[in-house]
Structures are given as C-alpha cells and as structure tokens.
mmCIF file of all heavy atoms in Angstrom:
data_model
loop_
_atom_site.group_PDB
_atom_site.id
_atom_site.type_symbol
_atom_site.label_atom_id
_atom_site.label_comp_id
_atom_site.label_asym_id
_atom_site.label_seq_id
_atom_site.Cartn_x
_atom_site.Cartn_y
_atom_site.Cartn_z
ATOM 1 N N MET V 4 132.202 -144.309 13.658
ATOM 2 C CA MET V 4 132.763 -143.219 12.878
ATOM 3 C C MET V 4 133.782 -143.747 11.869
ATOM 4 O O MET V 4 133.858 -143.258 10.749
ATOM 5 C CB MET V 4 133.391 -142.202 13.831
ATOM 6 C CG MET V 4 133.973 -141.010 13.148
ATOM 7 S SD MET V 4 132.673 -139.963 12.527
ATOM 8 C CE MET V 4 133.566 -138.514 12.166
ATOM 9 N N LYS V 5 134.556 -144.732 12.280
ATOM 10 C CA LYS V 5 135.579 -145.283 11.404
ATOM 11 C C LYS V 5 134.950 -145.947 10.184
ATOM 12 O O LYS V 5 135.469 -145.845 9.076
ATOM 13 C CB LYS V 5 136.418 -146.284 12.188
ATOM 14 C CG LYS V 5 137.740 -146.597 11.577
ATOM 15 C CD LYS V 5 138.545 -147.473 12.510
ATOM 16 C CE LYS V 5 140.005 -147.168 12.370
ATOM 17 N NZ LYS V 5 140.832 -147.988 13.224
ATOM 18 N N GLU V 6 133.812 -146.626 10.383
ATOM 19 C CA GLU V 6 133.126 -147.282 9.279
ATOM 20 C C GLU V 6 132.588 -146.267 8.281
ATOM 21 O O GLU V 6 132.632 -146.486 7.073
ATOM 22 C CB GLU V 6 131.980 -148.159 9.791
ATOM 23 C CG GLU V 6 132.430 -149.352 10.612
ATOM 24 C CD GLU V 6 132.719 -149.007 12.068
ATOM 25 O OE1 GLU V 6 132.297 -147.917 12.523
ATOM 26 O OE2 GLU V 6 133.376 -149.808 12.737
ATOM 27 N N ILE V 7 132.100 -145.152 8.781
ATOM 28 C CA ILE V 7 131.577 -144.101 7.906
ATOM 29 C C ILE V 7 132.712 -143.504 7.081
ATOM 30 O O ILE V 7 132.544 -143.240 5.887
ATOM 31 C CB ILE V 7 130.865 -143.015 8.737
ATOM 32 C CG1 ILE V 7 129.614 -143.604 9.386
ATOM 33 C CG2 ILE V 7 130.507 -141.819 7.866
ATOM 34 C CD1 ILE V 7 128.930 -142.680 10.365
ATOM 35 N N LYS V 8 133.873 -143.304 7.707
ATOM 36 C CA LYS V 8 135.008 -142.757 6.985
ATOM 37 C C LYS V 8 135.469 -143.717 5.885
ATOM 38 O O LYS V 8 135.806 -143.296 4.788
ATOM 39 C CB LYS V 8 136.156 -142.462 7.947
ATOM 40 C CG LYS V 8 135.906 -141.237 8.818
ATOM 41 C CD LYS V 8 137.024 -141.023 9.792
ATOM 42 C CE LYS V 8 138.157 -140.292 9.123
ATOM 43 N NZ LYS V 8 139.205 -139.881 10.089
ATOM 44 N N LYS V 9 135.442 -145.019 6.164
ATOM 45 C CA LYS V 9 135.827 -146.004 5.150
ATOM 46 C C LYS V 9 134.825 -146.023 4.002
ATOM 47 O O LYS V 9 135.203 -146.137 2.836
ATOM 48 C CB LYS V 9 135.947 -147.391 5.764
ATOM 49 C CG LYS V 9 137.170 -147.571 6.621
ATOM 50 C CD LYS V 9 137.254 -148.972 7.167
ATOM 51 C CE LYS V 9 138.435 -149.142 8.076
ATOM 52 N NZ LYS V 9 138.523 -150.509 8.617
ATOM 53 N N MET V 10 133.537 -145.914 4.331
ATOM 54 C CA MET V 10 132.513 -145.901 3.301
ATOM 55 C C MET V 10 132.666 -144.645 2.433
ATOM 56 O O MET V 10 132.577 -144.719 1.204
ATOM 57 C CB MET V 10 131.118 -145.926 3.930
ATOM 58 C CG MET V 10 130.001 -145.953 2.914
ATOM 59 S SD MET V 10 128.373 -145.979 3.662
ATOM 60 C CE MET V 10 128.312 -144.374 4.402
ATOM 61 N N LEU V 11 132.909 -143.504 3.043
ATOM 62 C CA LEU V 11 133.089 -142.269 2.298
ATOM 63 C C LEU V 11 134.320 -142.350 1.393
ATOM 64 O O LEU V 11 134.288 -141.897 0.251
ATOM 65 C CB LEU V 11 133.233 -141.087 3.260
ATOM 66 C CG LEU V 11 133.419 -139.716 2.628
ATOM 67 C CD1 LEU V 11 132.223 -139.368 1.768
ATOM 68 C CD2 LEU V 11 133.620 -138.673 3.704
ATOM 69 N N LEU V 12 135.380 -142.957 1.874
ATOM 70 C CA LEU V 12 136.579 -143.115 1.051
ATOM 71 C C LEU V 12 136.299 -144.033 -0.136
ATOM 72 O O LEU V 12 136.742 -143.761 -1.252
ATOM 73 C CB LEU V 12 137.728 -143.659 1.893
ATOM 74 C CG LEU V 12 139.052 -143.819 1.151
ATOM 75 C CD1 LEU V 12 139.570 -142.450 0.701
ATOM 76 C CD2 LEU V 12 140.066 -144.508 2.022
ATOM 77 N N GLY V 13 135.542 -145.093 0.066
ATOM 78 C CA GLY V 13 135.184 -145.993 -1.030
ATOM 79 C C GLY V 13 134.352 -145.296 -2.092
ATOM 80 O O GLY V 13 134.589 -145.457 -3.296
ATOM 81 N N ILE V 14 133.392 -144.509 -1.667
ATOM 82 C CA ILE V 14 132.574 -143.749 -2.617
ATOM 83 C C ILE V 14 133.435 -142.728 -3.351
ATOM 84 O O ILE V 14 133.286 -142.525 -4.560
ATOM 85 C CB ILE V 14 131.400 -143.068 -1.882
ATOM 86 C CG1 ILE V 14 130.429 -144.122 -1.348
ATOM 87 C CG2 ILE V 14 130.672 -142.092 -2.798
ATOM 88 C CD1 ILE V 14 129.387 -143.570 -0.404
ATOM 89 N N ALA V 15 134.351 -142.098 -2.647
ATOM 90 C CA ALA V 15 135.230 -141.113 -3.279
ATOM 91 C C ALA V 15 136.122 -141.767 -4.328
ATOM 92 O O ALA V 15 136.379 -141.179 -5.382
ATOM 93 C CB ALA V 15 136.080 -140.415 -2.221
ATOM 94 N N ILE V 16 136.575 -142.978 -4.071
ATOM 95 C CA ILE V 16 137.404 -143.681 -5.053
ATOM 96 C C ILE V 16 136.593 -144.009 -6.299
ATOM 97 O O ILE V 16 137.076 -143.843 -7.426
ATOM 98 C CB ILE V 16 138.023 -144.947 -4.425
ATOM 99 C CG1 ILE V 16 139.078 -144.551 -3.390
ATOM 100 C CG2 ILE V 16 138.637 -145.845 -5.494
ATOM 101 C CD1 ILE V 16 139.577 -145.697 -2.554
ATOM 102 N N MET V 17 135.356 -144.451 -6.114
ATOM 103 C CA MET V 17 134.503 -144.734 -7.268
ATOM 104 C C MET V 17 134.250 -143.467 -8.079
ATOM 105 O O MET V 17 134.293 -143.474 -9.306
ATOM 106 C CB MET V 17 133.174 -145.341 -6.821
ATOM 107 C CG MET V 17 133.311 -146.752 -6.307
ATOM 108 S SD MET V 17 131.738 -147.562 -5.994
ATOM 109 C CE MET V 17 131.052 -146.570 -4.694
ATOM 110 N N LEU V 18 133.979 -142.368 -7.391
ATOM 111 C CA LEU V 18 133.754 -141.101 -8.083
ATOM 112 C C LEU V 18 135.018 -140.588 -8.759
ATOM 113 O O LEU V 18 134.946 -139.944 -9.807
ATOM 114 C CB LEU V 18 133.224 -140.060 -7.104
ATOM 115 C CG LEU V 18 131.773 -140.234 -6.668
ATOM 116 C CD1 LEU V 18 131.431 -139.218 -5.593
ATOM 117 C CD2 LEU V 18 130.842 -140.108 -7.840
ATOM 118 N N ALA V 19 136.169 -140.876 -8.179
ATOM 119 C CA ALA V 19 137.428 -140.418 -8.761
ATOM 120 C C ALA V 19 137.627 -141.005 -10.151
ATOM 121 O O ALA V 19 138.057 -140.307 -11.072
ATOM 122 C CB ALA V 19 138.594 -140.793 -7.855
ATOM 123 N N VAL V 20 137.297 -142.283 -10.306
ATOM 124 C CA VAL V 20 137.440 -142.914 -11.614
ATOM 125 C C VAL V 20 136.545 -142.222 -12.640
ATOM 126 O O VAL V 20 136.988 -141.906 -13.750
ATOM 127 C CB VAL V 20 137.097 -144.413 -11.516
ATOM 128 C CG1 VAL V 20 137.084 -145.057 -12.884
ATOM 129 C CG2 VAL V 20 138.077 -145.119 -10.600
ATOM 130 N N ILE V 21 135.323 -141.950 -12.272
ATOM 131 C CA ILE V 21 134.382 -141.297 -13.180
ATOM 132 C C ILE V 21 134.833 -139.874 -13.500
ATOM 133 O O ILE V 21 134.850 -139.456 -14.661
ATOM 134 C CB ILE V 21 132.966 -141.295 -12.572
ATOM 135 C CG1 ILE V 21 132.459 -142.728 -12.432
ATOM 136 C CG2 ILE V 21 132.004 -140.463 -13.403
ATOM 137 C CD1 ILE V 21 131.212 -142.868 -11.592
ATOM 138 N N VAL V 22 135.217 -139.128 -12.474
ATOM 139 C CA VAL V 22 135.592 -137.728 -12.673
ATOM 140 C C VAL V 22 136.856 -137.605 -13.516
ATOM 141 O O VAL V 22 136.929 -136.777 -14.424
ATOM 142 C CB VAL V 22 135.769 -137.022 -11.311
ATOM 143 C CG1 VAL V 22 136.434 -135.681 -11.469
ATOM 144 C CG2 VAL V 22 134.422 -136.861 -10.640
ATOM 145 N N PHE V 23 137.855 -138.442 -13.249
ATOM 146 C CA PHE V 23 139.084 -138.364 -14.034
ATOM 147 C C PHE V 23 138.821 -138.726 -15.491
ATOM 148 O O PHE V 23 139.390 -138.125 -16.402
ATOM 149 C CB PHE V 23 140.176 -139.244 -13.447
ATOM 150 C CG PHE V 23 140.801 -138.676 -12.202
ATOM 151 C CD1 PHE V 23 140.939 -139.448 -11.068
ATOM 152 C CD2 PHE V 23 141.246 -137.367 -12.155
ATOM 153 C CE1 PHE V 23 141.504 -138.930 -9.916
ATOM 154 C CE2 PHE V 23 141.815 -136.829 -11.013
ATOM 155 C CZ PHE V 23 141.948 -137.620 -9.889
ATOM 156 N N HIS V 24 137.944 -139.689 -15.720
ATOM 157 C CA HIS V 24 137.599 -140.045 -17.097
ATOM 158 C C HIS V 24 136.909 -138.878 -17.803
ATOM 159 O O HIS V 24 137.245 -138.542 -18.942
ATOM 160 C CB HIS V 24 136.701 -141.278 -17.119
ATOM 161 C CG HIS V 24 136.233 -141.644 -18.480
ATOM 162 N ND1 HIS V 24 137.061 -142.186 -19.419
ATOM 163 C CD2 HIS V 24 135.022 -141.515 -19.075
ATOM 164 C CE1 HIS V 24 136.386 -142.388 -20.536
ATOM 165 N NE2 HIS V 24 135.141 -141.990 -20.356
ATOM 166 N N LEU V 25 135.955 -138.257 -17.133
ATOM 167 C CA LEU V 25 135.275 -137.112 -17.721
ATOM 168 C C LEU V 25 136.232 -135.948 -17.950
ATOM 169 O O LEU V 25 136.140 -135.245 -18.959
ATOM 170 C CB LEU V 25 134.115 -136.667 -16.823
ATOM 171 C CG LEU V 25 132.921 -137.607 -16.747
ATOM 172 C CD1 LEU V 25 131.935 -137.115 -15.691
ATOM 173 C CD2 LEU V 25 132.236 -137.709 -18.098
ATOM 174 N N PHE V 26 137.141 -135.724 -17.010
ATOM 175 C CA PHE V 26 138.087 -134.624 -17.142
ATOM 176 C C PHE V 26 139.032 -134.846 -18.323
ATOM 177 O O PHE V 26 139.386 -133.908 -19.027
ATOM 178 C CB PHE V 26 138.884 -134.448 -15.848
ATOM 179 C CG PHE V 26 139.747 -133.224 -15.836
ATOM 180 C CD1 PHE V 26 139.179 -131.968 -15.727
ATOM 181 C CD2 PHE V 26 141.116 -133.324 -15.928
ATOM 182 C CE1 PHE V 26 139.959 -130.823 -15.712
ATOM 183 C CE2 PHE V 26 141.910 -132.195 -15.914
ATOM 184 C CZ PHE V 26 141.329 -130.941 -15.808
ATOM 185 N N MET V 27 139.419 -136.096 -18.565
ATOM 186 C CA MET V 27 140.309 -136.389 -19.686
ATOM 187 C C MET V 27 139.584 -136.262 -21.028
ATOM 188 O O MET V 27 140.203 -135.946 -22.037
ATOM 189 C CB MET V 27 140.906 -137.791 -19.543
ATOM 190 C CG MET V 27 141.791 -137.945 -18.319
ATOM 191 S SD MET V 27 143.123 -136.752 -18.207
ATOM 192 C CE MET V 27 144.200 -137.356 -19.459
ATOM 193 N N GLU V 28 138.263 -136.482 -21.027
ATOM 194 C CA GLU V 28 137.499 -136.376 -22.267
ATOM 195 C C GLU V 28 137.278 -134.909 -22.660
ATOM 196 O O GLU V 28 137.547 -134.529 -23.780
ATOM 197 C CB GLU V 28 136.143 -137.072 -22.116
ATOM 198 C CG GLU V 28 136.233 -138.574 -22.020
ATOM 199 C CD GLU V 28 136.670 -139.200 -23.327
ATOM 200 O OE1 GLU V 28 136.217 -138.741 -24.386
ATOM 201 O OE2 GLU V 28 137.479 -140.136 -23.267
ATOM 202 N N ASP V 29 136.742 -134.107 -21.757
ATOM 203 C CA ASP V 29 136.370 -132.729 -22.093
ATOM 204 C C ASP V 29 137.099 -131.685 -21.253
ATOM 205 O O ASP V 29 137.465 -130.637 -21.756
ATOM 206 C CB ASP V 29 134.857 -132.532 -21.925
ATOM 207 C CG ASP V 29 134.079 -133.368 -22.920
ATOM 208 O OD1 ASP V 29 134.587 -133.551 -24.036
ATOM 209 O OD2 ASP V 29 132.980 -133.818 -22.573
ATOM 210 N N GLY V 30 137.255 -131.926 -19.969
ATOM 211 C CA GLY V 30 137.963 -130.989 -19.108
ATOM 212 C C GLY V 30 137.174 -129.745 -18.754
ATOM 213 O O GLY V 30 137.695 -128.639 -18.829
ATOM 214 N N PHE V 31 135.913 -129.918 -18.378
ATOM 215 C CA PHE V 31 135.099 -128.778 -17.977
ATOM 216 C C PHE V 31 135.449 -128.343 -16.560
ATOM 217 O O PHE V 31 136.031 -129.094 -15.783
ATOM 218 C CB PHE V 31 133.610 -129.120 -18.041
ATOM 219 C CG PHE V 31 133.106 -129.319 -19.448
ATOM 220 C CD1 PHE V 31 132.474 -130.494 -19.808
ATOM 221 C CD2 PHE V 31 133.254 -128.331 -20.399
ATOM 222 C CE1 PHE V 31 132.011 -130.678 -21.092
ATOM 223 C CE2 PHE V 31 132.786 -128.501 -21.682
ATOM 224 C CZ PHE V 31 132.167 -129.690 -22.037
ATOM 225 N N LEU V 32 135.077 -127.122 -16.208
ATOM 226 C CA LEU V 32 135.354 -126.576 -14.879
ATOM 227 C C LEU V 32 134.702 -127.400 -13.760
ATOM 228 O O LEU V 32 135.357 -127.635 -12.734
ATOM 229 C CB LEU V 32 134.908 -125.111 -14.813
ATOM 230 C CG LEU V 32 135.157 -124.402 -13.489
ATOM 231 C CD1 LEU V 32 136.662 -124.327 -13.209
ATOM 232 C CD2 LEU V 32 134.552 -123.015 -13.509
ATOM 233 N N PRO V 33 133.453 -127.881 -13.893
ATOM 234 C CA PRO V 33 132.877 -128.702 -12.816
ATOM 235 C C PRO V 33 133.670 -129.981 -12.545
ATOM 236 O O PRO V 33 133.709 -130.450 -11.408
ATOM 237 C CB PRO V 33 131.474 -129.032 -13.311
ATOM 238 C CG PRO V 33 131.132 -127.925 -14.233
ATOM 239 C CD PRO V 33 132.429 -127.556 -14.894
ATOM 240 N N ASP V 34 134.321 -130.519 -13.565
ATOM 241 C CA ASP V 34 135.165 -131.696 -13.344
ATOM 242 C C ASP V 34 136.351 -131.337 -12.467
ATOM 243 O O ASP V 34 136.745 -132.108 -11.590
ATOM 244 C CB ASP V 34 135.650 -132.268 -14.674
ATOM 245 C CG ASP V 34 134.511 -132.737 -15.554
ATOM 246 O OD1 ASP V 34 133.462 -133.098 -15.013
ATOM 247 O OD2 ASP V 34 134.686 -132.728 -16.789
ATOM 248 N N LEU V 35 136.925 -130.163 -12.684
ATOM 249 C CA LEU V 35 138.049 -129.712 -11.864
ATOM 250 C C LEU V 35 137.597 -129.480 -10.423
ATOM 251 O O LEU V 35 138.311 -129.828 -9.483
ATOM 252 C CB LEU V 35 138.652 -128.439 -12.450
ATOM 253 C CG LEU V 35 139.899 -127.900 -11.767
ATOM 254 C CD1 LEU V 35 141.030 -128.924 -11.832
ATOM 255 C CD2 LEU V 35 140.335 -126.605 -12.403
ATOM 256 N N ILE V 36 136.416 -128.923 -10.252
ATOM 257 C CA ILE V 36 135.872 -128.710 -8.904
ATOM 258 C C ILE V 36 135.646 -130.050 -8.205
ATOM 259 O O ILE V 36 135.918 -130.195 -7.009
ATOM 260 C CB ILE V 36 134.579 -127.876 -8.975
ATOM 261 C CG1 ILE V 36 134.901 -126.467 -9.474
ATOM 262 C CG2 ILE V 36 133.883 -127.828 -7.620
ATOM 263 C CD1 ILE V 36 133.683 -125.637 -9.804
ATOM 264 N N ALA V 37 135.193 -131.048 -8.949
ATOM 265 C CA ALA V 37 134.983 -132.378 -8.371
ATOM 266 C C ALA V 37 136.307 -133.000 -7.944
ATOM 267 O O ALA V 37 136.380 -133.670 -6.907
ATOM 268 C CB ALA V 37 134.271 -133.275 -9.375
ATOM 269 N N ILE V 38 137.354 -132.787 -8.722
ATOM 270 C CA ILE V 38 138.671 -133.308 -8.349
ATOM 271 C C ILE V 38 139.152 -132.649 -7.060
ATOM 272 O O ILE V 38 139.686 -133.318 -6.172
ATOM 273 C CB ILE V 38 139.680 -133.092 -9.498
ATOM 274 C CG1 ILE V 38 139.306 -133.982 -10.684
ATOM 275 C CG2 ILE V 38 141.100 -133.370 -9.037
ATOM 276 C CD1 ILE V 38 140.085 -133.696 -11.944
ATOM 277 N N ILE V 39 138.928 -131.368 -6.909
ATOM 278 C CA ILE V 39 139.301 -130.666 -5.676
ATOM 279 C C ILE V 39 138.497 -131.228 -4.496
ATOM 280 O O ILE V 39 139.031 -131.430 -3.408
ATOM 281 C CB ILE V 39 139.093 -129.149 -5.833
ATOM 282 C CG1 ILE V 39 140.087 -128.596 -6.857
ATOM 283 C CG2 ILE V 39 139.245 -128.429 -4.499
ATOM 284 C CD1 ILE V 39 139.819 -127.173 -7.284
ATOM 285 N N GLY V 40 137.223 -131.503 -4.714
ATOM 286 C CA GLY V 40 136.399 -132.102 -3.668
ATOM 287 C C GLY V 40 136.899 -133.476 -3.246
ATOM 288 O O GLY V 40 136.895 -133.813 -2.059
ATOM 289 N N LEU V 41 137.358 -134.267 -4.209
ATOM 290 C CA LEU V 41 137.901 -135.587 -3.876
ATOM 291 C C LEU V 41 139.175 -135.464 -3.054
ATOM 292 O O LEU V 41 139.411 -136.250 -2.136
ATOM 293 C CB LEU V 41 138.177 -136.367 -5.163
ATOM 294 C CG LEU V 41 136.942 -136.815 -5.931
ATOM 295 C CD1 LEU V 41 137.334 -137.365 -7.286
ATOM 296 C CD2 LEU V 41 136.164 -137.838 -5.147
ATOM 297 N N ILE V 42 139.979 -134.457 -3.350
ATOM 298 C CA ILE V 42 141.195 -134.224 -2.564
ATOM 299 C C ILE V 42 140.835 -133.861 -1.130
ATOM 300 O O ILE V 42 141.471 -134.321 -0.175
ATOM 301 C CB ILE V 42 142.059 -133.135 -3.227
ATOM 302 C CG1 ILE V 42 142.622 -133.655 -4.560
ATOM 303 C CG2 ILE V 42 143.181 -132.678 -2.304
ATOM 304 C CD1 ILE V 42 143.274 -132.597 -5.410
ATOM 305 N N ILE V 43 139.783 -133.074 -0.960
ATOM 306 C CA ILE V 43 139.333 -132.701 0.388
ATOM 307 C C ILE V 43 138.846 -133.926 1.153
ATOM 308 O O ILE V 43 139.118 -134.084 2.353
ATOM 309 C CB ILE V 43 138.245 -131.618 0.305
ATOM 310 C CG1 ILE V 43 138.858 -130.309 -0.207
ATOM 311 C CG2 ILE V 43 137.569 -131.405 1.656
ATOM 312 C CD1 ILE V 43 137.839 -129.246 -0.538
ATOM 313 N N VAL V 44 138.132 -134.836 0.466
ATOM 314 C CA VAL V 44 137.650 -136.067 1.114
ATOM 315 C C VAL V 44 138.822 -136.912 1.587
ATOM 316 O O VAL V 44 138.840 -137.409 2.716
ATOM 317 C CB VAL V 44 136.743 -136.872 0.159
ATOM 318 C CG1 VAL V 44 136.478 -138.262 0.691
ATOM 319 C CG2 VAL V 44 135.439 -136.140 -0.069
ATOM 320 N N VAL V 45 139.823 -137.082 0.744
ATOM 321 C CA VAL V 45 140.984 -137.889 1.129
ATOM 322 C C VAL V 45 141.744 -137.221 2.270
ATOM 323 O O VAL V 45 142.187 -137.898 3.209
ATOM 324 C CB VAL V 45 141.899 -138.127 -0.096
ATOM 325 C CG1 VAL V 45 143.209 -138.771 0.304
ATOM 326 C CG2 VAL V 45 141.173 -138.985 -1.120
ATOM 327 N N ALA V 46 141.872 -135.905 2.233
ATOM 328 C CA ALA V 46 142.544 -135.196 3.321
ATOM 329 C C ALA V 46 141.768 -135.354 4.631
ATOM 330 O O ALA V 46 142.368 -135.506 5.695
ATOM 331 C CB ALA V 46 142.698 -133.720 2.979
ATOM 332 N N GLY V 47 140.440 -135.336 4.554
ATOM 333 C CA GLY V 47 139.633 -135.547 5.750
ATOM 334 C C GLY V 47 139.754 -136.953 6.295
ATOM 335 O O GLY V 47 139.694 -137.186 7.503
ATOM 336 N N TYR V 48 139.943 -137.918 5.408
ATOM 337 C CA TYR V 48 140.105 -139.310 5.848
ATOM 338 C C TYR V 48 141.440 -139.500 6.559
ATOM 339 O O TYR V 48 141.533 -140.214 7.542
ATOM 340 C CB TYR V 48 140.017 -140.256 4.651
ATOM 341 C CG TYR V 48 140.170 -141.704 5.027
ATOM 342 C CD1 TYR V 48 139.117 -142.398 5.601
ATOM 343 C CD2 TYR V 48 141.371 -142.374 4.825
ATOM 344 C CE1 TYR V 48 139.260 -143.719 5.955
ATOM 345 C CE2 TYR V 48 141.517 -143.688 5.179
ATOM 346 C CZ TYR V 48 140.458 -144.365 5.745
ATOM 347 O OH TYR V 48 140.597 -145.677 6.101
ATOM 348 N N ILE V 49 142.447 -138.829 6.062
ATOM 349 C CA ILE V 49 143.784 -138.997 6.616
ATOM 350 C C ILE V 49 143.957 -138.231 7.930
ATOM 351 O O ILE V 49 144.708 -138.652 8.801
ATOM 352 C CB ILE V 49 144.838 -138.553 5.581
ATOM 353 C CG1 ILE V 49 144.797 -139.499 4.386
ATOM 354 C CG2 ILE V 49 146.227 -138.510 6.184
ATOM 355 C CD1 ILE V 49 145.656 -139.050 3.227
ATOM 356 N N SER V 50 143.223 -137.127 8.085
ATOM 357 C CA SER V 50 143.421 -136.273 9.258
ATOM 358 C C SER V 50 143.093 -137.008 10.556
ATOM 359 O O SER V 50 142.266 -137.899 10.591
ATOM 360 C CB SER V 50 142.583 -135.018 9.158
ATOM 361 O OG SER V 50 141.223 -135.325 9.387
ATOM 362 N N LYS V 51 143.732 -136.592 11.625
ATOM 363 C CA LYS V 51 143.542 -137.200 12.952
ATOM 364 C C LYS V 51 142.659 -136.323 13.839
ATOM 365 O O LYS V 51 142.720 -136.422 15.047
ATOM 366 C CB LYS V 51 144.895 -137.386 13.621
ATOM 367 C CG LYS V 51 145.859 -138.237 12.871
ATOM 368 C CD LYS V 51 145.541 -139.686 13.062
ATOM 369 C CE LYS V 51 146.597 -140.519 12.328
ATOM 370 N NZ LYS V 51 146.406 -141.916 12.516
ATOM 371 N N GLY V 52 141.827 -135.480 13.250
ATOM 372 C CA GLY V 52 141.021 -134.533 14.005
ATOM 373 C C GLY V 52 140.050 -135.178 14.977
ATOM 374 O O GLY V 52 139.833 -134.681 16.066
ATOM 375 N N CYS V 53 139.460 -136.282 14.629
ATOM 376 C CA CYS V 53 138.452 -136.927 15.472
ATOM 377 C C CYS V 53 138.903 -138.343 15.771
ATOM 378 O O CYS V 53 139.111 -139.140 14.862
ATOM 379 C CB CYS V 53 137.101 -136.942 14.759
ATOM 380 S SG CYS V 53 135.807 -137.712 15.721
ATOM 381 N N THR V 54 139.056 -138.660 17.051
ATOM 382 C CA THR V 54 139.453 -140.013 17.425
ATOM 383 C C THR V 54 138.242 -140.756 17.935
ATOM 384 O O THR V 54 137.324 -140.187 18.525
ATOM 385 C CB THR V 54 140.539 -139.977 18.514
ATOM 386 O OG1 THR V 54 140.033 -139.265 19.640
ATOM 387 C CG2 THR V 54 141.801 -139.292 18.001
ATOM 388 N N ASP V 55 138.219 -142.048 17.693
ATOM 389 C CA ASP V 55 137.115 -142.888 18.163
ATOM 390 C C ASP V 55 137.457 -143.442 19.535
ATOM 391 O O ASP V 55 138.119 -144.458 19.662
ATOM 392 C CB ASP V 55 136.857 -144.027 17.185
ATOM 393 C CG ASP V 55 136.294 -143.551 15.867
ATOM 394 O OD1 ASP V 55 135.640 -142.499 15.889
ATOM 395 O OD2 ASP V 55 136.475 -144.239 14.854
ATOM 396 N N LYS V 56 137.011 -142.756 20.569
ATOM 397 C CA LYS V 56 137.233 -143.235 21.937
ATOM 398 C C LYS V 56 135.910 -143.737 22.472
ATOM 399 O O LYS V 56 134.879 -143.094 22.320
ATOM 400 C CB LYS V 56 137.747 -142.099 22.827
ATOM 401 C CG LYS V 56 139.123 -141.622 22.434
ATOM 402 C CD LYS V 56 139.583 -140.532 23.374
ATOM 403 C CE LYS V 56 140.950 -140.040 22.961
ATOM 404 N NZ LYS V 56 141.428 -138.954 23.808
ATOM 405 N N PRO V 57 135.918 -144.891 23.096
ATOM 406 C CA PRO V 57 134.660 -145.401 23.669
ATOM 407 C C PRO V 57 134.163 -144.526 24.811
ATOM 408 O O PRO V 57 134.947 -144.051 25.635
ATOM 409 C CB PRO V 57 135.024 -146.796 24.157
ATOM 410 C CG PRO V 57 136.496 -146.825 24.254
ATOM 411 C CD PRO V 57 137.028 -145.786 23.316
ATOM 412 N N THR V 58 132.860 -144.287 24.835
ATOM 413 C CA THR V 58 132.281 -143.501 25.917
ATOM 414 C C THR V 58 131.869 -144.396 27.066
ATOM 415 O O THR V 58 131.512 -145.556 26.870
ATOM 416 C CB THR V 58 131.070 -142.709 25.403
ATOM 417 O OG1 THR V 58 130.135 -143.629 24.869
ATOM 418 C CG2 THR V 58 131.485 -141.708 24.354
ATOM 419 N N GLN V 59 131.878 -143.866 28.255
ATOM 420 C CA GLN V 59 131.524 -144.669 29.432
ATOM 421 C C GLN V 59 130.198 -144.264 29.983
ATOM 422 O O GLN V 59 129.722 -143.214 29.948
ATOM 423 C CB GLN V 59 132.574 -144.517 30.509
ATOM 424 C CG GLN V 59 133.894 -145.114 30.049
ATOM 425 C CD GLN V 59 134.949 -144.930 31.139
ATOM 426 O OE1 GLN V 59 134.779 -144.217 32.121
ATOM 427 N NE2 GLN V 59 136.072 -145.593 30.952
#
C-alpha cells in the first residue's frame, strides 16, 4: 500500500507541473478542478487513515 501511495504522489507531482502551467496560460475551469483534485491526492497521502500492518 505504501508503494502505491508513493507512486500516486509521484504522478500527482508530474500532473501538478502540467496543470499549473496550463492554468497560468489560460485559466480554464477544468484546470481549477484539476488543482483541487491534486490537493485531494496530497491530503490522502498525508492522512493516517490506513496503516500498513502485516497480516498473520
């Protein structure tokens, strides 16, 4: 689970660069929605909702 969260954060960072560039060029509503989505991804990465405990 931890590896998936790291991969998702990496993809979100790559998308953040693209989205911020597009938002600075034109500033369309879908760009703003994408920025909100990136904030949700980062908040999900930081949250402690799911812990990785080994199963027996």
